[in-house]
Amino acid sequence: MGSKEEEFQKRLLSTFKIEAGDHLKTISAGLLEIERMESPEGHLETVETIFRASHNMKGAARAVNMRDIEAICQSLEDVFDMWKQEGINRSSEVFDLLYHSLDVIRMLLSPLDGKEITIDGNKVSNLIERLSGIKTMRIYDTISFTRGESLLNKETILMSDADVVRIPLARISSLLLQAEELLSVKLLSSQHSADIREVADMFEIFKNELKKVCSKDESFNRVEGHIKSMERRLLTIKKSVQQYSRSLNRMVDNLLDDTKMVMMSPVSTVLEGFPLLVRNISNEQGKAVDLIIQGGGIEADRRILEGIKDPLIHIVRNCIDHGIERPEDRISLKKAEKGTIKIIVSQLDNRKLEILITDDGMGIDINMVRASAVSAGIISQEEADSLSEYEAMSLIFHSGVSTTPVITDISGRGLGLAIVREKIEKLNGSIILESHLHRGASFRIILPLTIATFRGVTVCVSGHIFVIPLINIEQVIRVKRDDLKTVENKETITLDNRPLSFVRLSGVLELTNIKRKTEDQDFIPVLILNGLDKRIAFGVDEIMKEDEFFVKGLGRQLLRVKNIEGAALLGSGKPVPVLNVTDLIRSVLKGSYATPELMAPEEKGVKPGKGSILVVEDSITSRILLKNILESAGYSVKTAVDGIDAITTLKTGDFDLIVSDIEMPRMDGFDLTAKIRGDERLDELPVVLVTALEKREDRERGIEEGANAYIVKSSFDQGNLLEVIRRLI
C-alpha cells in the first residue's frame, strides 16, 4: 500500500471513530431517556432516533471494514426495529445488555487510539446471540473481556473426544507449505542419484579405455589396485545414495499425502449455506425454486474450495435472477410451478474436479448477448452476425455484457460472469456455458483437486526450460514439418481430420528462435493445450520429461507477469518458470497466430471518462469513502448530506450522475429520485442508489421511483460501482 493510500486510510478511520463516538452518545442518551420515562408518550420518536443512529454507525463500520462493530450494530438495529413495531421491553436486564453492547463497541474502537485491547471473536458472537435473545428474553450472563490478552490465541484446544485435536487452520496451512517445499529436496535427491550413476558409468568407461591403452605398461599394475579400490568405493556410494534417495522419496510422498489429506474438505462445506441463499433470493424475487445438491461428499483442497465459493454463489444468484421464471410464467410455459437448480459435483480423475450447475429456466437469449456485446463496443454488428452460436455464447464472459436492462445488486452490471471466469482461471480451472432457450442453462467448471504441487511437463524453447501443468495438456504428438499447412497466413496442423491452429511457443513468449539440432529433423514436438474452451497446438524444441513440481509465486514485485504463473525448482536446484496456459492461449487469440475460427474479440477495458458526480450521503465516513473512490477514478465530485441539500446543490451546478443513499434525514433517497424525475431539466440525470436496504420491496420502489441502478452496501464493491457509472454516463 502506498503512502498516500495509508494516509487516506488513517484519515478515514479517524473520521469513523469521531462519527461512531457521536452515534454512541446519541444511543446512550436515548436509552437513558427511554428507561427513565414513566409514560410511553414520546417513546416512538426517541426509538426512531436511536434506530437511525445504529443504522448509520453500521453503514460507516462497513465502509472501514470493521465487521464486528457492523454486526453488533445490526443486532441493535433489529432490537430497536422490534421496539418500533411491538413496543419496548423495559426489563432492566435488557437495558443492561444494551449498555454493555455499547461498551463493547467502544472497546473495539480503542485500537484506533493505539490501545492494546483484544476481544475474542467468539465472545462477540455470543453477544450478538444474546441481543437476538431479547425477543424471547433469553438473557445470559454478562460477557467479560480482558485487556492485553487475546482469547483467540489458544493454539491447540482439546475437544471432548480425546482422539481429536483442534488446531488453527493457519498453522495447518503453514505445515502443508513446508511439506510441499520438501518436494524440491526430493527432486534434488533424485538428481544426485542420477548424477552418481552417470559418474559410475563414466568411471567404468574410463577404466576399460585405460586397460586398452596401458595394460602392457608395468606402471599400470601399480595403479590397478587403486583403480579397483576407487571402483568399490564408488559402487558403495552409488548404492547408498540410491537407497537414501528411495527412502527420502517415500517419506516425502507419504508426508505430502498425509498433509494434503488434512487440507482436504468435502465440497459440501462451501455448499452448506446455499439452500438458505436460494430460499432468500427466490423469496425476494417472488419465485419458487428447489435446490438439489449431489456429490457434496467429494473432497478437494480447502484452498480450492475457498476460491470457488464466490463464483458459485454468483452463478446460483444468476440462475435465480436471470434463469428461473416466476410461477405464473412457468405455468404458462407448461413447466412445473417450482423451478429447479442442480449442483452436481464429480471427480473426473485423480487430479480434476467437475462442478456442474444447471437450471430449468428460460435459458440465455443468444441474440440479446450479441446485442449487448455490440452495445458495449466489444465487437461490431458485422462481427456479431458472423459468430457461431457457440462463439456468441462465450461473449457472456466479457466485461460489460449483460442480458438484463435493470441494474440491481444481484445482476445487470455485466461484470459478474467476467469476474467468475477470472477467479476460476486463477485456480487453474475453466468454465464452459451451454444454454437452450426456454429449457435452461448449465455451467461446467473444471478445477484441479489440489494446488501448489502439480504434475507438469518440462519443455525446452529457444534454449530456455519451462514447465507446463499437465492438467492443461490434452495430447503430446510429433508433427512432420511437411504436414504444416497455411490457411490465410496462419499455420495449422490436422488432428483427428480437423484443422487445428499451430503456433511456436517461442513466438508467443517473444524469445529469439535459436536453431537447434531438432530444427534439422523432420518432426516437430507439439503439445495440444486447452484453455478458455479452446485447443491450440504449440510447437517446442524439445519435450523433456514429466514430473511433480512445487510452484511458488514470484513475489510482490512480480505479482502479475504475462504468460507466467510462478516458478518451480528442477532436480538440479535450478528455478524455471511455470507457464500460465490460459494466458498463453489468450495471447494467441489476441495476437497474430490464431486462425479466424479461434479469434475471440479482445476485451476492451474502457477507462471511465471524466464527469461530474454528486454524492448524497448523511454518514460522513461513507461520504468521504465514496468521494475518494470516485475522485481516484478521475471524476469531479461534490457532496450533499441529504436530499434537501442535494436539490439545492443541483440548482447551482451541472452534474452527469448522482450517487445517493436512501435513509437520510429531511428527504430520503426515494423522494430525491422522484423529485429529480419530476423536474424537466433533470429527468434524464442518472441516479444510482447505494443503500443498506436489502428487501425486495425497497428494490422495486427504487426502480419505480426512477433509479437507474440499485446497489446494496452489504455486497458493495468499488469496481462494480465504477463499472455501473461508466455504463450510465
Side-chain angles (χ1 to χ4, degrees):
M1 183 182 291
S3 58
K4 290 185 178 179
E5 293 175 324
E6 290 178 349
E7 184 62 26
F8 170 71
Q9 188 68 17
K10 289 180 181 178
R11 287 193 289 109
L12 193 64
L13 287 171
S14 177
T15 303
F16 166 71
K17 186 178 185 304
I18 295 172
E19 181 182 1
D22 292 338
H23 290 317
L24 288 171
K25 291 177 183 177
T26 300
I27 297 172
S28 295
L31 289 175
L32 282 171
E33 184 178 351
I34 293 171
E35 194 173 16
R36 291 171 182 171
M37 285 181 181
E38 294 184 1
S39 65
E41 296 179 5
H43 280 184
L44 187 59
E45 183 178 345
T46 305
V47 171
E48 179 64 34
T49 299
I50 62 177
F51 171 85
R52 185 174 295 280
S54 61
H55 173 81
N56 288 341
M57 184 161 51
K58 177 187 72 175
R62 182 186 296 118
V64 294
N65 201 33
M66 299 198 72
R67 298 301 182 189
D68 285 342
I69 294 179
E70 177 190 351
I72 295 172
C73 288
Q74 178 65 64
S75 297
L76 290 173
E77 186 180 332
D78 291 341
V79 172
F80 300 148
D81 184 58
M82 181 190 71
W83 283 4
K84 289 165 58 179
Q85 306 297 328
E86 303 175 10
I88 298 172
N89 184 333
R90 297 176 60 85
S91 164
S92 60
E93 291 88 353
V94 169
F95 280 89
D96 288 343
L97 183 58
L98 293 173
Y99 290 132
H100 179 65
S101 301
L102 301 183
D103 289 338
V104 172
I105 293 176
R106 292 187 182 95
M107 294 177 72
L108 289 169
L109 289 170
S110 296
L112 300 182
D113 291 331
K115 299 177 182 178
E116 294 185 2
I117 298 179
T118 55
I119 298 178
D120 189 332
N122 292 329
K123 301 301 182 182
V124 174
S125 300
N126 291 338
L127 171 61
I128 293 171
E129 182 182 351
R130 289 173 171 83
L131 287 170
S132 300
I134 287 179
K135 294 182 179 180
T136 54
M137 286 301 296
R138 293 196 304 269
I139 306 300
Y140 300 88
D141 295 336
T142 303
I143 303 167
S144 61
F145 297 93
T146 57
R147 294 177 180 269
E149 177 187 358
S150 174
L151 300 178
L152 272 178
N153 294 333
K154 292 187 177 180
E155 296 177 348
T156 304
I157 304 172
L158 291 178
M159 301 178 67
S160 57
D161 188 342
D163 295 330
V164 179
V165 177
R166 295 180 60 193
I167 301 175
L169 181 60
R171 172 159 292 193
I172 294 294
S173 299
S174 175
L175 288 174
L176 177 60
L177 288 175
Q178 293 180 55
E180 287 171 335
E181 290 196 5
L182 286 176
L183 183 60
S184 302
V185 179
K186 169 190 168 183
L187 294 174
L188 189 59
S189 172
S190 298
Q191 184 64 46
H192 287 168
S193 179
D195 291 343
I196 201 70
R197 285 197 304 270
E198 185 177 352
V199 170
D201 293 340
M202 291 172 62
F203 184 83
E204 182 68 22
I205 295 172
F206 167 75
K207 183 187 71 172
N208 293 334
E209 291 296 324
L210 188 63
K211 279 184 178 181
K212 292 178 183 179
V213 175
C214 305
S215 59
K216 297 180 180 180
D217 194 330
E218 293 182 0
S219 61
F220 177 75
N221 296 329
R222 292 196 298 269
V223 299
E224 187 176 14
H226 294 293
I227 292 175
K228 289 182 178 180
S229 177
M230 290 173 61
E231 183 178 20
R232 287 193 298 270
R233 180 63 176 161
L234 185 58
L235 290 175
T236 301
I237 294 174
K238 173 185 173 182
K239 184 177 180 180
S240 177
V241 168
Q242 289 176 336
Q243 184 176 356
Y244 168 79
S245 179
R246 285 194 296 269
S247 299
L248 179 63
N249 291 353
R250 184 172 59 254
M251 287 188 292
V252 170
D253 288 341
N254 291 340
L255 179 60
L256 274 174
D257 289 341
D258 289 344
T259 50
K260 283 179 182 177
M261 289 302 297
V262 173
M263 289 298 292
M264 299 291 274
S265 293
V267 180
S268 59
T269 57
V270 299
L271 299 178
E272 289 173 345
F274 277 60
L276 181 60
L277 173 74
V278 170
R279 176 187 175 276
N280 291 341
I281 297 177
S282 59
N283 286 345
E284 291 173 2
Q285 298 279 322
K287 299 176 180 180
V289 183
D290 268 340
L291 175 66
I292 299 174
I293 299 175
Q294 299 175 0
I298 294 175
E299 294 188 337
D301 193 310
R302 186 188 298 269
R303 294 164 292 183
I304 292 285
L305 298 181
E306 289 173 352
I308 196 59
K309 183 175 181 179
D310 285 344
L312 289 179
I313 289 175
H314 189 91
I315 291 173
V316 169
R317 287 161 66 101
N318 261 21
C319 288
I320 300 172
D321 194 40
H322 289 314
I324 303 296
E325 308 92 341
R326 294 181 182 274
E328 57 272 21
D329 296 330
R330 292 181 63 85
I331 292 174
S332 66
L333 293 170
K334 297 183 179 180
K335 292 184 177 182
E337 183 177 356
K338 184 176 288 189
T340 301
I341 296 175
K342 292 183 180 180
I343 302 178
I344 303 172
V345 183
S346 56
Q347 187 171 332
L348 298 183
D349 52 36
N350 61 348
R351 294 189 302 271
K352 294 181 183 179
L353 177 74
E354 179 187 72
I355 303 177
L356 182 66
I357 305 102
T358 66
D359 70 67
D360 64 348
M362 63 188 298
I364 298 174
D365 189 333
I366 194 66
N367 293 324
M368 292 184 68
V369 174
R370 284 191 172 98
S372 180
V374 172
S375 176
I378 295 173
I379 56 175
S380 66
Q381 184 63 56
E382 183 179 352
E383 290 172 321
D385 294 338
S386 65
L387 291 176
S388 67
E389 184 172 323
Y390 181 79
E391 291 170 325
M393 189 64 70
S394 298
L395 292 172
I396 200 74
F397 291 108
H398 287 255
S399 178
V401 177
S402 175
T403 58
T404 178
V406 178
I407 302 174
T408 69
D409 62 301
I410 293 181
S411 62
R413 293 181 288 271
L415 290 171
L417 289 180
I419 295 173
V420 164
R421 184 177 70 174
E422 179 182 337
K423 289 186 175 182
I424 290 173
E425 288 175 358
K426 284 183 179 179
L427 297 171
N428 287 325
S430 62
I431 180 170
I432 300 171
L433 167 64
E434 293 183 6
S435 178
H436 301 281
L437 196 59
H438 301 306
R439 286 192 291 164
S442 67
F443 295 84
R444 183 171 180 257
I445 300 172
I446 306 295
L447 296 163
L449 281 174
T450 62
I451 57 178
T453 57
F454 67 98
R455 301 292 298 180
V457 173
T458 50
V459 298
C460 184
V461 181
S462 297
H464 301 276
I465 296 176
F466 298 93
V467 177
I468 300 177
L470 193 62
I471 192 173
N472 298 113
I473 300 176
E474 185 176 304
Q475 198 172 349
V476 176
I477 59 176
R478 292 200 311 160
V479 176
K480 286 186 177 181
R481 295 184 184 278
D482 295 340
D483 289 341
L484 287 178
K485 307 297 182 184
T486 301
V487 179
E488 296 185 8
N489 296 322
K490 312 293 182 183
E491 287 187 303
T492 65
I493 63 172
T494 300
L495 186 66
D496 299 329
N497 298 319
R498 297 182 60 186
L500 186 65
S501 178
F502 171 84
V503 297
R504 300 178 190 274
L505 187 54
S506 58
V508 180
L509 297 175
E510 300 179 12
L511 297 174
T512 302
N513 193 24
I514 300 175
K515 190 175 182 65
R516 299 171 57 85
K517 290 182 179 180
T518 53
E519 289 288 326
D520 300 325
Q521 297 176 356
D522 296 331
F523 291 90
I524 302 174
V526 173
L527 297 99
I528 311 300
L529 304 184
N530 59 58
L532 297 177
D533 198 23
K534 305 291 183 184
R535 299 166 71 234
I536 296 179
F538 286 83
V540 298
D541 297 335
E542 181 183 357
I543 297 173
M544 302 173 72
K545 66 174 182 176
E546 177 189 339
D547 214 330
E548 188 171 15
F549 297 94
F550 170 61
V551 63
K552 300 196 71 171
L554 301 177
R556 292 181 178 273
Q557 295 84 353
L558 298 172
L559 196 59
R560 183 73 176 90
V561 179
K562 182 181 178 182
N563 299 324
I564 304 298
E565 182 178 328
L569 290 180
L570 297 179
S572 62
K574 177 183 177 181
V576 294
V578 178
L579 296 180
N580 185 320
V581 174
T582 300
D583 268 9
L584 289 177
I585 292 179
R586 186 177 286 117
S587 296
V588 172
L589 297 177
K590 292 182 178 181
S592 58
Y593 299 96
T595 60
E597 291 77 11
L598 286 171
M599 285 299 291
E602 181 176 353
E603 295 185 30
K604 298 181 180 179
V606 181
K607 190 174 181 179
K610 291 186 177 180
S612 180
I613 296 177
L614 176 62
V615 172
V616 189
E617 171 66 70
D618 60 329
S619 166
I620 185 173
T621 305
S622 299
R623 198 160 60 240
I624 291 176
L625 178 63
L626 287 169
K627 187 174 187 291
N628 182 266
I629 290 172
L630 297 174
E631 286 181 339
S632 298
Y635 295 102
S636 173
V637 181
K638 285 191 176 182
T639 60
V641 297
D642 58 26
I644 296 294
D645 190 20
I647 293 296
T648 303
T649 306
L650 286 170
K651 293 178 180 178
T652 61
D654 294 326
F655 296 90
D656 298 302
L657 182 137
I658 290 180
V659 175
S660 176
D661 188 15
I662 289 181
E663 294 187 301
M664 298 179 292
R666 298 200 294 175
M667 179 185 289
D668 63 23
F670 290 137
D671 292 338
L672 172 62
T673 304
K675 191 85 172 175
I676 291 171
R677 292 293 172 254
D679 188 321
E680 291 184 2
R681 187 177 68 89
L682 303 173
D683 61 352
E684 296 295 327
L685 183 64
V687 176
V688 177
L689 296 178
V690 181
T691 176
L693 299 180
E694 302 181 1
K695 294 181 180 178
R696 175 187 170 193
E697 51 266 31
D698 293 321
R699 291 193 185 95
E700 291 179 348
R701 183 182 173 189
I703 301 302
E704 288 171 0
E705 296 290 0
N708 300 85
Y710 191 104
I711 300 175
V712 176
K713 289 181 179 178
S714 61
S715 57
F716 176 80
D717 179 88
Q718 70 178 54
N720 291 353
L721 174 64
L722 293 175
E723 179 63 19
V724 168
I725 292 173
R726 184 190 69 79
R727 293 182 62 191
L728 292 176
I729 290 184

